[in-house]
Amino acid sequence: MQCPTQTFCDRCGLPVTEGDHAACAAARALEPPRFCPRCRRRMKVQVVPTGWTATCVEHGTTHG
Amino acid sequence: MSEILDRARTRVLESGAGLDEEQILEVLRLPDEDLPALLQLAHDVRMKWCGPEVEVEGIISLKTGGCPEDCHFCSQSGLFASPVRAVWLDIPSLVEAAKQTAATGATEFCIVAAVRGPDKRLMDQMRAGVKAIKEAVDIQVAASLGMLTKEQVDELVEMGVHRYNHNLETCRSYFPNVVTTHSFEERWETLKMVRDSGMEVCCGGILGLGETIEQRAEFAAQLAELDPHEVPLNFLNPRPGTPLGDRPVVEGKDALRAIAAFRLAMPKTILRYAGGREITLGDLGTRDGLLGGINAVIVGNYLTTLGRPATADLDLLQDLKMPVKSLSATF
Ligand code: SF4
Ligand SMILES: [Zn+2]
Ligand SMILES: [Zn+2]
């Protein structure tokens, strides 16, 4: 189910309601997010061997 | 068994000499039905000349993105519409990543920066970072910071960096199709300086950039000529926004054939599974590669993409009865 705050695809940055993001969702298994799902800003992403953090200046940091 | 494999067996397995370019090409052209025998030979060569140990490494991006170079596969080039933003890692996070890497049993920790070559800020950050890691963690530190000056090579040696990674990426004849902002020869120059300094040379590349099979053989032969201590083998994971973003991934069987061919070209080198193996070969590919010539892995995540969990690789090594190379074995 789609998260209610997710307006934009966090991989390609396009609106989730436009087009098909199944390939993006599949790719995300091996990629961190790049776009903030709320405002579509490009996030500052740091990958480390055991995880990642992604930061939107407006909406804060998520971890994985 | 095919004559090609028979000849390779005599030359590589028995005498420890690598195949030449023409022989590598013959191997890369072997039909699918010869693949199991080829992988077995590559595995036998690795076991005889390198042993059963597997060298485990973690890598970390100290400076991500915003690179002025135009390597057409790279999401960190600032010249393409890639979504990867420039970001620097702070020293406490670097040390924490080294600790987590060591906790997996890894003996190598490679610090990478997306740059043409280091500037003073990066060298200062390296100096502080390597010192902090050495004080806190029992792990060998390697670096990959692009093209170096002789002074920078000496500085890295003095910091205690024991191995330097600088990939040629592809063969000489195809290089200008992949990178236009610097040359194959410039990379070769840095590698020579690293070699002369006494640091271990780590040099590999990426398969699936659009090179022909002949160029894949050319690349393996050029690496063999360089004779690096380690060869990291990547398979293109096409990145959105890069000029190679729409290229198909290397077919699984071709990837395995290439692994075996690179092993037969360089029987004694550390041949490391690096990026793209999950995409090209799926979960089973790691096993096939480790039984086909590979004797080192990068565990966990890569620089901008994610890998299998380290535990998946470590469990597999246990299954295969391949011990993780220990620190004492590396000195
Ligand atoms: S020099 Fe390295 S970081 Fe820069 S574009 Fe080339 S591969 Fe990417
Ligand atoms: Zn998408
Ligand atoms: Zn946001």
Side-chain angles (χ1 to χ4, degrees):
Chain A
M1 203 177 68
Q2 198 178 293
C3 163
T5 55
Q6 173 156 7
T7 311
F8 301 98
C9 171
D10 63 8
R11 180 172 190 258
C12 70
L14 296 175
V16 287
T17 49
E18 278 172 32
D20 182 8
H21 298 275
C24 291
R28 278 277 283 104
L30 289 169
E31 292 174 21
R34 291 288 165 191
F35 293 90
C36 175
R38 293 172 68 180
C39 70
R40 87 151 290 188
R41 279 188 181 86
R42 278 195 311 154
M43 296 191 287
K44 285 199 165 180
V45 179
Q46 179 73 50
V47 176
V48 296
T50 51
W52 51 263
T53 54
T55 305
C56 167
V57 279
E58 186 65 31
H59 297 105
T61 299
T62 47
H63 300 262
Chain B
M1 203 206 286
S2 89
E3 255 176 61
I4 292 166
L5 286 175
D6 275 345
R7 278 202 303 274
R9 178 173 293 277
T10 312
R11 181 182 168 108
V12 189
L13 185 63
E14 286 163 25
S15 70
L19 298 185
D20 65 23
E21 184 173 337
E22 206 176 307
Q23 293 165 328
I24 298 165
L25 182 57
E26 284 177 343
V27 164
L28 288 172
R29 285 186 173 144
L30 282 172
D32 284 357
E33 61 261 29
D34 285 340
L35 185 57
L38 169 62
L39 293 171
Q40 184 61 50
L41 175 60
H43 182 59
D44 293 346
V45 165
R46 169 266 175 120
M47 292 304 257
K48 172 161 179 186
W49 295 104
C50 306
E53 292 84 17
V54 173
E55 193 186 80
V56 176
E57 176 186 57
I59 59 174
I60 187 78
S61 182
L62 179 61
K63 186 250 169 190
T64 305
C67 180
E69 302 306 291
D70 76 344
C71 310
H72 291 11
F73 53 82
C74 183
S75 65
Q76 301 198 64
S77 169
L79 302 177
F80 312 138
S82 158
V84 174
R85 276 188 67 180
V87 52
W88 282 77
L89 186 68
D90 58 45
I91 304 280
S93 307
L94 180 71
V95 174
E96 183 53 35
K99 278 187 187 157
Q100 288 172 1
T101 299
T104 67
T107 52
E108 291 284 320
F109 185 64
C110 186
I111 304 171
V112 185
V115 290
R116 176 181 170 91
D119 57 10
K120 184 164 183 320
R121 177 184 177 195
L122 179 57
M123 289 304 277
D124 288 349
Q125 189 81 346
M126 273 300 288
R127 183 173 290 281
V130 174
K131 182 167 182 283
I133 291 168
K134 287 188 176 283
E135 280 166 7
V137 193
D138 206 10
I139 199 159
Q140 305 210 86
V141 178
S144 182
L145 315 171
M147 291 178 282
L148 301 175
T149 63
K150 174 76 176 65
E151 292 68 37
Q152 289 167 335
V153 171
D154 294 342
E155 264 189 81
L156 291 172
V157 172
E158 190 223 316
M159 288 176 205
V161 172
H162 88 119
R163 188 181 292 173
Y164 193 76
N165 165 265
H166 195 47
N167 289 340
L168 287 167
E169 308 298 9
T170 192
C171 66
R172 187 180 269 117
S173 72
Y174 195 63
F175 192 90
N177 297 76
V178 178
V179 185
T180 70
T181 47
H182 59 269
S183 66
F184 188 92
E185 282 67 30
E186 285 176 277
R187 289 200 179 205
W188 192 274
E189 225 14 70
T190 289
L191 289 161
K192 271 199 326 215
M193 283 192 289
V194 169
R195 151 80 35 83
D196 292 346
S197 76
M199 268 192 288
E200 291 178 359
V201 174
C202 170
C203 178
I206 309 181
L207 302 185
L209 300 174
E211 75 282 1
T212 61
I213 294 292
E214 289 77 8
Q215 285 169 323
R216 232 169 251 180
E218 179 193 337
F219 184 40
Q222 283 161 353
L223 286 174
E225 182 192 337
L226 178 72
D227 190 23
H229 196 84
E230 174 192 335
V231 174
L233 209 49
N234 297 270
F235 300 97
L236 180 71
N237 177 357
R239 299 289 74 215
T242 65
L244 300 181
D246 293 324
R247 275 210 62 78
V249 298
V250 176
E251 213 259 311
K253 283 183 177 150
D254 289 337
L256 292 172
R257 238 186 301 265
I259 288 168
F262 275 61
R263 169 55 71 203
L264 297 181
M266 292 168 281
K268 297 170 185 173
T269 195
I270 297 171
L271 187 59
R272 189 181 305 280
Y273 244 146
R277 65 179 148 121
E278 295 84 356
I279 305 273
T280 294
L281 287 154
D283 260 349
L284 285 177
T286 301
R287 181 186 202 96
D288 293 343
L290 282 161
L291 292 170
I294 293 285
N295 69 332
V297 290
I298 289 174
V299 284
N301 296 332
Y302 302 104
L303 302 173
T304 61
T305 59
L306 311 180
R308 297 170 11 121
T311 46
D313 282 343
L314 297 169
D315 290 349
L316 175 61
L317 293 181
Q318 208 163 26
D319 257 19
L320 296 173
K321 301 199 170 33
M322 292 181 186
V324 173
K325 188 160 144 193
S326 65
L327 261 185
S328 57
T330 61
F331 289 120

